[in-house]
Amino acid sequence: MDTNFTHIMQTNNDNKLRIGIFGKRNQGKSSLMNVLTKQTTSIVSKQAGTTTDPVKKTIEILDLGPVVLIDTAGIDDFGVLGEVRVTKTQEILAQVDVALLLISHNEWGEEEAQWSALFKAGKIPFLILHNQSDLEPITTAFKTRIETQIQTQCIEFSTMPNSKLLNTEKIFTAIKQLIAQKQVQTVKILEGIVKENDLVLLVTPIDSQAPQGRLILPQVQLIRQCLDVHAICLVCQENEIKNSLALLKHKPVLVITDSQIFDKVHQAIPSDIALTSFSICLARQKGYFETYIQGASTLSHLKEGDRVLILESCTHQVNCEDIGRVKIPNWIRKYTQKNIEFEIVSGLSPFVRPLQEYALVIQCGACMVTQKQLQNRLDAVIAAKVPLTNYGIAIAYLNGIFERATEIFRKNIK
């Protein structure tokens, strides 16, 4: 195994929506967490600063599915440890899709103003919850002033048991409205490509990287997409392609394969059948497709000693068949005949050096992160004016089948 790369790893995050709970100490953030989850998820105490590290819990919200709630430390914490806690809370901003800012006693201070500005700067839709309203109801004048100045909804609430103001459905409804208003409408993976009764062949290798007894997420997503549009989906491994095609009365409108066997499948599939990969499909759905396409040509211009950053969205046990840490670096060295340095950053770990020091950034399919998390990553790359592409597009380019693998999607770029 070639070991000439640097690997930085952080615990993996999945692609559920994330809802962060923010506010000063003793505003009832942990109580709200417990009310929303219907469990004792966070420790509740009158002692200020009880919550130190972010606490996460997954729940199901009707019409949204699974979401991750994140309870955070008080935004007004102070002292050496307090500043560390506030920093941890600030780091959560890069992950959340929606924020809940708790206030009480008709008070709006410098911290609330600062954090509402941070939410707006990060394009994070947010609600203001006036908690503890059983103790001191929100005044009409205060509510009007806050909603007018901050331009977001302020909801009167209480986490007290049996309170008439303990209305979690009102919060969930407001969250869904925010998401509907703010969420980028992503293109469905096969939208405009596959229609009802079309036949799609999925080539899914079962190698040492495949989870025991399961398919990887992109494979599952593509099967579901085919079912959603009422297409017909046939799944096989790479050694079964010839027999699968022979069994069919009609040829597939599209073949989707794992990128790492692109060349083998390219040879096995007739040229009049469209071919692409799971990673390229995800690139189209997650956005940045045109940027990835443009960045791929950088592979032909890499120079001796150039540094390439590989971004993984998940973490997993490494072996000699690893596509990001082993195969792609080896393919690039073989293609360029140059000594290229590689650095690998996993999950949401920080970049190990200024982005301008990289000649190219290669992003994985990003099936395990949210749109917001991917956007935070890649917008920084684009702002640094560093060429960017993704696994599937890069592999297609390196194997000389870039045009074929991207043609069906390039035809549908609007």
Side-chain angles (χ1 to χ4, degrees), residues 273-308:
I273 298 176
L275 171 66
T276 191
S277 76
F278 294 104
S279 180
I280 294 176
C281 288
L282 287 178
R284 182 191 188 228
Q285 183 201 32
K286 290 278 189 176
Y288 302 95
F289 185 79
E290 293 180 72
T291 302
Y292 291 151
I293 292 291
Q294 293 168 5
S297 61
T298 304
L299 290 163
S300 293
H301 306 291
L302 292 175
K303 303 185 297 294
E304 187 75 19
D306 273 348
R307 186 177 289 115
V308 172

Side-chain angles (χ1 to χ4, degrees), residues 33-51:
M33 180 78 157
N34 293 340
V35 165
L36 295 179
T37 62
K38 298 181 179 181
Q39 298 179 31
T40 305
T41 302
S42 296
I43 298 174
V44 175
S45 171
K46 293 182 179 180
Q47 177 70 40
T50 299
T51 301

Side-chain angles (χ1 to χ4, degrees), residues 217-233:
L217 183 57
Q219 295 165 354
V220 175
Q221 289 177 311
L222 264 298
I223 292 173
R224 176 58 191 262
Q225 285 283 312
C226 289
L227 295 175
D228 283 346
V229 299
H230 301 285
I232 300 164
C233 182

Side-chain angles (χ1 to χ4, degrees), residues 339-395:
N339 182 28
I340 307 295
E341 295 183 23
F342 294 90
E343 291 178 349
I344 289 83
V345 175
S346 296
L348 300 175
S349 299
F351 300 125
V352 297
R353 64 180 72 246
L355 287 167
Q356 291 84 353
E357 296 185 18
Y358 298 104
L360 176 66
V361 175
I362 306 177
Q363 169 69 51
C364 73
C367 64
M368 296 299 289
V369 294
T370 66
Q371 189 80 16
K372 175 64 184 299
Q373 291 166 340
L374 182 66
Q375 177 183 333
N376 286 335
R377 283 299 232 200
L378 300 190
D379 282 357
V381 176
I382 293 170
K385 299 182 178 180
V386 179
L388 171 67
T389 191
N390 98 319
Y391 278 24
I393 292 172
I395 294 170

